[in-house]
Amino acid sequence: QESLSPSDFPSWMTEIPAEAFSGCSEVKNVTLPMKITKIGDYAFSDCSSLVSIELPANVTEIGDYAFQYCSSLESIELPAEVTEIGDYAFYYCSSLVNVTLPDKKINIGYNAFSYTSALQCVYGGDPHNYMTVASQSRSSSLEYCEDRMLDFPSCQESLSPSDFPSWMTEIP
C-alpha cells in the first residue's frame, strides 16, 4: 500500500522491527504511532518511493541502515528525544534536502548521512550535529539553517538571556 498510518500497526508495538518494511518500494508516506520509541536496523531500507515519514515524539533511536537507499525521501524531522542515529541510517538518501536534528548533541553513526548530496539545510541547535552531517553528506550547497520557529523579539530597549535560544553561543 502507498500510505501507512498509526492504525496499520498493532496497538502494543513500541518499535519498528529490523527489516520490517525493507524493500517495500510502493510505500510513499508513513505516519508512525505515538508509542514507537525505536526504528530498527534496516526497518525502511530500500523503500525507494518513500517521500515522507512522520516520527513520533517518543523516538529515541534510529537503527543502523534504517532508511538507507530511500532515494525519494525529501525531508526528515528527528524528534527532540532522539539520542542516536545508527551507522548508514540515511545513506544514499539522494533526494534528502532538509534535516531537522535535536537541539542537543547526539550520537550520529558512521556514514549516517553519506551520499545525501541534495542536502541543503540542517536545522538543529548543536553545532556538533551540523558538522557531523556536513562532513558526511558531500553536499556542495549544505548550510546550517536558522530554526524555522525561531522568532527574535523586535527592537526593544533591552534583551535578556531568555530572549535567545539556549544553544546560541554567539551573535552573528
Side-chain angles (χ1 to χ4, degrees), residues 26-48:
E26 65 278 356
V27 174
K28 291 182 179 179
N29 303 294
V30 176
T31 302
L32 296 174
M34 290 306 294
K35 285 186 175 183
I36 300 297
T37 60
K38 179 182 178 184
I39 310 298
D41 297 348
Y42 298 92
F44 293 93
S45 175
D46 207 19
C47 290
S48 57

Side-chain angles (χ1 to χ4, degrees), residues 20-111:
F21 298 98
S22 182
C24 290
S25 58
E26 65 278 356
V27 174
K28 291 182 179 179
N29 303 294
V30 176
T31 302
L32 296 174
M34 290 306 294
K35 285 186 175 183
I36 300 297
T37 60
K38 179 182 178 184
I39 310 298
D41 297 348
Y42 298 92
F44 293 93
S45 175
D46 207 19
C47 290
S48 57
S49 299
L50 183 65
V51 174
S52 69
I53 182 160
E54 190 175 323
L55 301 175
N58 297 329
V59 170
T60 60
E61 184 179 340
I62 308 292
D64 295 342
Y65 306 91
F67 295 97
Q68 77 163 351
Y69 299 117
C70 289
S71 55
S72 298
L73 187 64
E74 297 173 353
S75 183
I76 187 78
E77 184 171 342
L78 299 173
E81 297 302 313
V82 168
T83 58
E84 178 118 11
I85 299 173
D87 295 344
Y88 298 92
F90 295 96
Y91 185 77
Y92 261 107
C93 289
S94 54
S95 296
L96 193 61
V97 174
N98 297 312
V99 174
T100 302
L101 298 170
D103 285 338
K104 63 186 179 223
K105 184 177 176 183
I106 60 173
N107 294 323
I108 299 176
Y110 180 74
N111 281 333

Side-chain angles (χ1 to χ4, degrees), residues 136-156:
Q136 293 179 3
S137 78
R138 300 184 183 166
S139 171
S140 59
S141 58
L142 181 61
E143 293 181 21
Y144 178 80
C145 300
E146 288 185 30
D147 186 338
R148 291 175 275 198
M149 304 309 284
L150 187 59
D151 189 21
F152 283 104
S154 57
C155 290
Q156 57 191 48

Side-chain angles (χ1 to χ4, degrees), residues 7-24:
S7 63
D8 294 319
F9 298 87
S11 60
W12 51 262
M13 184 178 272
T14 58
E15 71 177 59
I16 303 298
E19 300 182 27
F21 298 98
S22 182
C24 290

